[in-house]
Amino acid sequence: MANHQFATTILKAFDVLDCFETGEEEMGISEIAALVGLPASSVHRLIQSLEFKGLLFQNRGTKKYYLGTRFFSFAEKSGRFRQFQKIAVKYVDELAALTRETVNLATSGGDKITNIYKKDSPFILRPNFTLHTSYPAHCTGTGRVFLSQMSDAAIRWVYDSCAREIAMPFPDFLEMLRQVRANGYALDDQDFSPGLRCVAAPVRAIEGKTVFALSVSAPITRMPDGLYEKTRDLVVQYAARITEDLQAY
């Protein structure tokens, strides 16, 4: 396998930004350091660079930091992505009405995924996913969809970062993701959470780039094997319909 070096400082900077769940939240250096697992001195250096570029601001009164106005310019540049999401949402709602289970639309953040839209199941017993919160990619159906599109070197980096949680040899992990790519869907059969099943499929834009992962999640008590297979087929079908609309946009 070819050696591949990632710009680790950039990755760490994104880890710092991921600590902020809302635009109003303020966090101190020690809080951020604890969350990202870095020394406070290292976090301080990263924050200085992020502050210089307008990605973080400091409240001079509390000495804590919050997201900066540079994100406004990023938001303005993401018009196509917002339109993609708008197109996908109607299919999420339709699939949720059809299955009566929780349907998620997720995006990728490297070794994590973020649910940007969901339609909850009407049942009291249902998964409790939080929007705009990061979840590990290696054990989630939506995450495995995105990981399966990565290079072997990138997958190796994710594996090395989460080897203890993945709890399988790297060749087995790599083969699982290759199978996801070949099949066009990913299964999470109680890997993310005991008693919870999920199936996910990629949603692609022009040139085949995976921009979203569409998933249905349900307790295993409502998702026996036969229904799990039928739900898999529905998720693949609906992901393909969204893909068709996005590529025609």
Side-chain angles (χ1 to χ4, degrees), residues 85-167:
Q85 181 178 341
K86 185 177 179 181
I87 291 170
V89 159
K90 65 178 182 180
Y91 290 105
V92 171
D93 291 348
E94 186 177 324
L95 183 57
L98 185 61
T99 62
R100 302 193 75 211
E101 298 296 353
T102 298
V103 182
N104 282 302
L105 190 70
T107 59
S108 172
D111 60 345
K112 298 179 177 62
I113 58 95
T114 302
N115 295 319
I116 58 172
Y117 183 78
K118 68 171 180 172
K119 191 70 174 180
D120 282 325
S121 167
F123 296 107
I124 294 176
L125 180 61
R126 64 191 184 198
N128 186 29
F129 297 113
T130 304
L131 289 180
H132 309 297
T133 295
S134 295
Y135 294 98
H138 65 83
C139 61
T140 55
T142 51
R144 289 171 177 175
V145 163
F146 286 109
L147 291 179
S148 72
Q149 310 298 313
M150 294 182 178
S151 67
D152 288 0
I155 293 171
R156 179 81 216 201
W157 182 85
V158 172
Y159 179 85
D160 289 344
S161 300
C162 309
R164 180 175 298 178
E165 293 82 3
I166 293 173

Side-chain angles (χ1 to χ4, degrees), residues 28-48:
I29 289 177
S30 60
E31 295 174 82
I32 296 171
L35 287 172
V36 300
L38 291 172
S41 58
S42 299
V43 170
H44 185 247
R45 287 194 296 271
L46 289 169
I47 285 176
Q48 285 181 314

